[in-house]
Amino acid sequence: MEQKIFLNFAVGPVQIEPEVLALGAQPIPYFRTQEFSALMLGNEQLVLQAIKAPANSRVVFLTGSGTAAMEAALINLFTPKDKVLVINGGTFGKRFSQLCDVYSINHTDIVLPAGAALTEKHLAPFEKKGYTGLLVNLHETSTGVLYDQKLLADFCKRNHLKLLVDAISSFLADDIDMSGLGACAVIAGSQKAMALPPGISLIVLSQEGQDLIKHNKANGYIRTLYFDLENALTNGLRGQTPFTPAVSILIQLNYRFRQLQQEGFDKIIRRTALLASDFRKKIKGLPFQITSQSLSNALTPLTPTHPVSAYTIFELLKDRYHIFVCPNGGAQKDTLFRVGHIGNLTVQDNDRLLEALADLNTKNLI
Ligand SMILES: *Cc1c(COP(=O)(O)O)cnc(C)c1O
């Protein structure tokens, strides 16, 4: 593949800082060592702090993309004896639903129209109906809808539901309080706001989550080798993983999180919020409509108001200006594209994208 330099507003993989990229070019050390274990134990503490995890929480580092963590968390925390609710507001909600089908986990999907916020009225029909769990992508990345954390937390507490949160595109982009959520597990992925290469996913497990895994393992429910989280947790006690991890990404993670910790984990979230609001202010004169009822900091979903395909805009920006935005697929291919605000981006980068869009508009191409 020809390697051009792109300005990248995709929602993952995102632009990575030069110092982090340089670390990825270093020789890879052997990892069954005290030094690597110390780095991994450090990584665990850094992640726990960033996500405001409750006391006694643990982190599993999986080598695999975000979906691997979704699958692993689901099959370790839930069994065919459960009856779960799935907030299905788009591509990623649907993925939880598909995973439940694969593993014969009873589920009811709360299907939301594209762009719609989750409200009390969507949950009300499911109060006290014998459900045991709830699966949610805190930010439905396909449409750019951020769900209400307090609404979900209160509903789950009231109904004694085990809560599994996919925060892959909200971790380090929007404020997440795992303690406040009362989640038994929260998932994150390296290629989104963590701004690392793709390949590592995280599962943060509360004490309740760890106890559930132990219980399910002891009762013979966990039928997987690579995704056996009890095994991963045991290995993690000594800073190791059961299988060869993506060593370089874990070294990059350590560097990046120590940097973020130094400036305070809230700062990256504030910076992302500022970048998003700058873009949303400046896009106003151009022929687009912002389509989410509950915007995140991570991205802005845009629908063209002129008769031009959203996918054509993605291609024009890529081919003429060397700029990536994030196209949608399926039924939304022509109506929606997304502009990310995560990764190593600045207000000047926003301006370059906006100039390109203004240029296309002047030329009547969009
Ligand atoms: C990116 C993303 C995923 C994971 O996708 P992978 O391609 O498997 O990394 C899962 N959930 C959400 C909400 C995401 O944004």
Side-chain angles (χ1 to χ4, degrees):
M1 194 165 80
E2 194 188 344
Q3 285 283 4
K4 284 191 204 123
I5 301 294
F6 282 88
L7 178 56
N8 185 3
F9 292 89
V11 191
V14 299
Q15 288 196 164
I16 300 174
E17 285 184 6
E19 295 84 353
V20 175
L21 281 175
L23 275 175
Q26 295 287 312
I28 302 167
Y30 178 63
F31 65 101
R32 301 281 185 210
T33 61
Q34 283 188 351
E35 288 81 1
F36 191 71
S37 291
L39 178 130
M40 286 299 284
L41 292 171
N43 282 351
E44 181 168 26
Q45 291 311 312
L46 287 160
V47 170
L48 291 174
Q49 192 186 336
I51 207 158
K52 302 192 179 91
N56 303 320
S57 295
R58 294 283 314 281
V59 184
V60 169
F61 295 85
L62 278 179
T63 294
S65 81
T67 307
M70 291 170 75
E71 183 155 352
L74 183 74
I75 63 177
N76 279 264
L77 295 166
F78 296 92
T79 77
K81 290 203 162 157
D82 280 296
K83 185 179 151 190
V84 305
L85 287 168
V86 179
I87 309 296
N88 183 346
T91 308
F92 294 103
K94 189 170 170 212
R95 192 164 301 174
F96 263 142
S97 182
Q98 288 171 323
L99 283 166
C100 287
D101 287 339
V102 169
Y103 291 100
S104 305
I105 295 168
N106 299 308
H107 63 100
T108 306
D109 289 13
I110 301 179
V111 178
L112 303 174
L118 179 73
T119 64
E120 196 79 58
K121 80 166 197 293
H122 296 115
L123 299 176
F126 303 99
E127 297 270 1
K128 302 198 178 67
K129 288 286 190 321
Y131 287 92
T132 59
L134 187 141
L135 315 179
V136 64
N137 321 90
L138 200 53
H139 175 231
E140 175 48 69
T141 320
S142 64
T143 54
V145 175
L146 182 68
Y147 299 135
D148 182 335
Q149 290 186 58
K150 187 167 180 331
L151 177 71
L152 287 162
D154 290 348
F155 176 78
C156 289
K157 268 171 215 155
R158 220 165 40 236
N159 287 281
H160 308 288
L161 302 186
K162 297 177 277 188
L163 173 59
L164 169 55
V165 175
D166 164 2
I168 293 176
S169 63
S170 35
F171 180 48
L172 298 180
D174 285 283
D175 198 17
I176 301 174
D177 177 358
M178 183 172 169
S179 303
L181 274 166
C184 56
V186 179
I187 298 166
S190 57
Q191 83 272 30
K192 304 279 167 79
M194 285 161 72
L196 298 168
I200 288 285
S201 52
L202 313 176
I203 307 173
V204 186
L205 293 155
S206 71
Q207 184 66 60
E208 184 200 357
Q210 295 162 56
D211 293 346
L212 265 169
I213 289 168
K214 207 168 263 166
H215 177 267
N216 288 337
K217 178 90 185 271
N219 287 280
Y221 284 116
I222 299 183
R223 303 180 62 78
T224 169
L225 185 77
Y226 195 73
F227 289 149
D228 179 342
L229 296 187
E230 199 203 32
N231 189 18
L233 284 166
T234 306
N235 275 268
L237 288 172
R238 59 185 177 99
Q240 287 289 323
T241 51
F243 314 106
T244 309
V247 174
S248 306
I249 305 175
L250 293 164
I251 292 171
Q252 290 167 307
L253 188 154
N254 191 263
Y255 173 85
R256 174 134 172 88
F257 273 62
R258 279 192 288 119
Q259 219 181 22
L260 292 174
Q261 183 192 42
Q262 242 168 35
E263 53 181 39
F265 287 110
D266 289 342
K267 192 151 172 209
I268 184 180
I269 294 165
R270 281 205 303 279
R271 205 161 54 221
T272 311
L274 283 175
L275 210 56
S277 68
D278 173 73
F279 179 79
R280 288 164 195 169
K281 203 167 60 212
K282 292 174 180 167
I283 193 78
K284 282 208 172 101
L286 289 164
F288 300 107
Q289 195 186 349
I290 297 177
T291 44
S292 162
Q293 287 177 359
S294 174
L295 286 164
S296 69
N297 295 330
L299 67 90
T300 303
L302 294 171
T303 295
T305 52
H306 290 170
V308 56
S309 161
Y311 196 80
T312 303
I313 298 174
F314 158 73
E315 289 189 313
L316 285 168
L317 287 169
K318 171 170 72 70
D319 298 336
R320 296 194 178 203
Y321 305 89
H322 296 167
I323 295 175
F324 281 129
V325 292
C326 209
N328 274 50
Q332 291 168 329
K333 184 178 175 193
D334 294 322
T335 55
L336 196 63
F337 70 98
R338 294 158 294 155
V339 173
H341 308 299
I342 55 181
N344 189 25
L345 288 168
T346 63
V347 167
Q348 288 71 39
D349 294 330
N350 275 351
D351 291 341
R352 259 188 70 193
L353 170 59
L354 288 151
E355 276 162 29
L357 288 168
D359 190 41
L360 287 171
N361 191 37
T362 309
K363 292 177 174 147
N364 284 324
L365 287 167
I366 62 170

